[in-house]
Amino acid sequence: MKWLWVVAFVAPTYTIPYNGTAGSTGDRGLALPNASLAHEGHYSCHHPGTGETWATVCLRLGYPPALPAVECWAISYPQAVNCSWVLVPEPLLDTDFVATYRHGVWRATEMGECVRTGPRSCSFGDVQMFSLTPYVVNVTAVNPLGAASRLLPFLLENIIKPDPPEDLRVSPIPGETKKLLLEWSPPGSWPFPEYFPLKYRIRYAREEGSVTKTIGPYEQTSYTLTGVRPGTLHHIQVAAKDFTDSGEFSAWSLPASGTPWMEP
C-alpha cells in the first residue's frame, strides 16, 4: 500500500500522512472532516519516494452568499436615493456585488446602475417626485460558491429619512435660571431646506436623572427649553423629519449639554 504525504503551508505548518483510506477520497484525495478556519492554506501532494509534487490546491472556507438585506433611504431628497446592504451570515469569501435600479415593477420606464459609493453601498439620482410607480433596486451578491439576489421595491416619498441635524448648541439665557436656548442647523446632506423644510423633535434629560423627555415637532431651528432645573447640567439631542410627514425621523443628533444661567 502506497503512502502519500500532504503538506499544508499554513500557520503553523504541518504534515498529514495518509494511505488512501481513512480521511481520504481515493488514491489521490484527502477529506478534512470538521474543517475550520485553522485549516485554510495551500496544500500540496508529494510522491513518497522522490518528493515530486503531484498537485497543489488552496483551501478557502466559506459560504455561498445569503440574500442581501437591502435598505434604501432618500437622505438628500429629492436629489438622490442611497442604498446599503449586509449579508448574514458573512460568506467569509471574496464576494462581488452588482446593484441596479429600475423605475417600474413590470415595464420599467427607466433603468440604470446604482453607482457604488462604498463596498456595500450605492446611490442613484434623477428621481421623479410624487410618482406612484415604485422604484426597484436589485442587489446581487456573487462568490465562487454561488449567487443571491434581492429586489427592494419602494415609493420615493416613503423612504425619506434625513441625516441628523448638525451643530447643536445649548446656551444659557442671561437672567433666566430655568431656561436654555437650543440652536441647530439642518443636515448638510439635505439640499434645499428652504423649499423642502424639515420639522424637528427634541429630547433632553438631566445629568443625574434617568427620565428622558421628548417634545415637538417644531418647524424652527431654535427653541427655548423652559422649566429646567436651575444649576443642573442637561443633555440635549435633536432629530429631523420631512415637513409633510413623509418617511421617517432621522437618527438623533450628537448630544450637546448646557446649564441654565446662574446668579453671579
Side-chain angles (χ1 to χ4, degrees):
M1 183 177 295
K2 293 184 178 180
W3 281 76
L4 305 180
W5 294 85
V6 177
V7 181
F9 297 101
V10 293
T13 299
Y14 56 90
T15 302
I16 306 173
Y18 75 103
N19 60 359
T21 55
S24 71
T25 58
D27 288 343
R28 296 191 182 184
L30 175 68
L32 295 176
N34 302 317
S36 68
L37 292 178
H39 292 99
E40 286 192 334
H42 290 84
Y43 287 75
S44 60
C45 180
H46 303 269
H47 187 281
T50 66
E52 176 189 1
T53 299
W54 283 355
T56 62
V57 65
C58 177
L59 175 64
R60 292 284 307 279
L61 299 177
Y63 305 97
L67 289 176
V70 185
E71 285 190 338
C72 292
W73 299 107
I75 64 172
S76 54
Y77 178 85
Q79 284 191 333
V81 171
N82 298 80
C83 301
S84 61
W85 54 88
V86 296
L87 299 180
V88 180
E90 282 292 331
L92 304 178
L93 297 172
D94 293 338
T95 302
D96 295 324
F97 299 95
V98 177
T100 60
Y101 76 94
R102 66 178 186 262
H103 190 197
V105 176
W106 304 114
R107 293 184 178 180
T109 59
E110 178 186 358
M111 301 179 65
E113 178 187 3
C114 190
V115 179
R116 295 286 289 275
T117 57
R120 297 187 180 187
S121 62
C122 67
S123 69
F124 63 93
D126 195 23
V127 293
Q128 297 184 24
M129 297 170 54
F130 311 120
S131 173
L132 297 180
T133 300
Y135 284 88
V136 181
V137 168
N138 182 0
V139 177
T140 301
V142 182
N143 72 18
L145 296 181
S149 296
R150 173 82 75 180
L151 298 177
L152 178 66
F154 55 82
L155 295 177
L156 179 62
E157 277 65 34
N158 289 349
I159 63 162
I160 296 175
K161 185 177 182 179
D163 281 331
E166 300 173 0
D167 195 25
L168 175 60
R169 305 172 300 280
V170 181
S171 308
I173 302 173
E176 299 288 351
T177 61
K178 296 183 179 182
K179 296 181 180 181
L180 285 168
L181 176 62
L182 315 181
E183 300 171 286
W184 59 88
S185 300
S189 56
W190 193 257
F192 307 115
E194 64 276 21
Y195 301 117
F196 300 94
L198 297 169
K199 55 185 178 182
Y200 302 93
R201 190 163 58 184
I202 300 167
R203 74 176 180 184
Y204 64 98
R206 298 195 306 269
E207 184 174 40
E208 75 277 9
S210 59
V211 177
T212 300
K213 295 183 179 180
T214 302
I215 56 176
Y218 305 107
E219 299 174 20
Q220 66 275 15
T221 56
S222 64
Y223 184 80
T224 300
L225 191 61
T226 61
V228 299
R229 179 175 293 183
T232 302
L233 185 66
H234 287 72
H235 304 294
I236 319 292
Q237 290 178 288
V238 184
K241 190 178 185 181
D242 174 64
F243 179 78
T244 64
D245 215 32
S246 298
E248 296 188 12
F249 266 99
S250 72
W252 290 104
S253 69
L254 294 174
S257 304
T259 302
W261 186 81
M262 292 183 288
E263 296 285 353

